[in-house]
């Protein structure tokens, strides 16, 4: 699984970049903010990568900082938010903006993102307060401060299972079963192992 790319910007599109790494061009989908930080064609580039594997494709999602990548994963734990909507949110708002919107219940701020209506924004504000643990510090010094714990580990385990090719709904059910089997305080590795066992039964 690709976790990081370091090379040079080969091409830039509205929603993606092609990063040349040793003569191999990687198509990477990015938020508008990350694309702006990549600079111009020919510039050196380093991106944190989230790899999504499906039956019909492999998609790479790139982020200028760990905080953005972590938030991308957390956003997708909410029903109705896939990779495209998560990137739209990260294009419209900074990591700190999202944190503030969730903390204060600012639905209007979240609806600035394309594809996010009032109902989805309300779901985001109500659900993410308990799912924001484990986010790396943002580049501007802000930190998403919701407590880390089993929920954060569960979100990471779901992401890992999705990366292995399982549907998100299947992965979420498997991780819930895993938590019941190995305990609420289990780490990511234990949840992934138990989740794979649950998917095999």
């Amino acid at each position: 699984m690709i976790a990081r790319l370091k090379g040079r910007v080969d091409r830039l599109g509205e929603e993606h970049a092609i990063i040349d790494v040793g003569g191999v061009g990687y198509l990477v989908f990015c938020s508008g903010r990350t694309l702006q930080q990549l600079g111009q064609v020919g510039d050196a580039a380093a991106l944190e990568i989230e790899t999504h594997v499906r039956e019909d494709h492999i998609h790479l999602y790139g982020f200028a900082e760990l905080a953005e990548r972590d938030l991308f994963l957390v956003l997708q734990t909410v029903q109705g938010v896939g990779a495209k909507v998560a990137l739209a949110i990260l294009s419209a708002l900074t990591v700190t903006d999202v944190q503030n919107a969730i903390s204060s219940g600012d639905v209007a701020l979240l609806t600035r993102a394309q594809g996010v209506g009032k109902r989805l924004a309300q779901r985001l504000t109500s659900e993410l307060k308990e799912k924001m643990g484990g986010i790396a510090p943002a580049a501007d010094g802000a930190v998403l401060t919701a407590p880390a714990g089993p929920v954060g580990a569960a979100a990471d385990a779901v992401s890992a299972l999705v990366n292995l090719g399982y549907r998100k709904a299947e992965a979420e059910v498997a991780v819930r079963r895993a938590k019941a089997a190995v305990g609420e305080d289990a780490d990511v590795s234990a949840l992934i192992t138990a989740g794979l066992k649950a998917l095999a039964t």
Side-chain angles (χ1 to χ4, degrees), residues 83-190:
K84 185 174 182 179
V85 172
L87 281 183
I89 292 171
L90 294 170
S91 293
L93 305 169
T94 66
V95 172
T96 304
D97 286 338
V98 176
Q99 179 199 17
N100 291 338
I102 291 167
S103 298
S104 64
D106 190 343
V107 170
L109 184 60
L110 291 171
T111 57
R112 292 182 185 178
Q114 185 175 1
V116 179
K118 183 177 180 180
R119 184 173 298 177
L120 180 54
Q122 289 172 334
R123 194 181 305 139
L124 286 162
T125 58
S126 66
E127 294 184 21
L128 288 187
K129 287 183 181 180
E130 301 300 326
K131 295 186 177 181
M132 299 294 278
I135 303 295
D140 61 3
V143 180
L144 300 184
T145 55
V151 174
D156 289 343
V158 169
S159 176
L161 293 176
V162 168
N163 286 339
L164 290 173
Y166 294 100
R167 294 195 303 273
K168 185 178 178 183
E170 289 179 323
E172 289 176 343
V173 171
V175 170
R176 282 198 296 271
R177 291 173 62 186
K179 287 176 67 177
V182 299
E184 291 288 327
D185 295 325
D187 61 17
V188 175
S189 178

Side-chain angles (χ1 to χ4, degrees), residues 53-91:
V53 180
R54 299 291 187 272
E55 291 183 1
D56 57 344
H57 68 254
I58 298 175
H59 281 174
L60 303 181
Y61 297 91
F63 309 94
E65 56 180 305
L66 285 171
E68 189 184 36
R69 186 206 65 185
D70 292 348
L71 183 53
F72 174 78
L73 296 176
V74 172
L75 287 168
Q76 290 178 81
T77 65
V78 176
Q79 182 181 3
V81 179
K84 185 174 182 179
V85 172
L87 281 183
I89 292 171
L90 294 170
S91 293

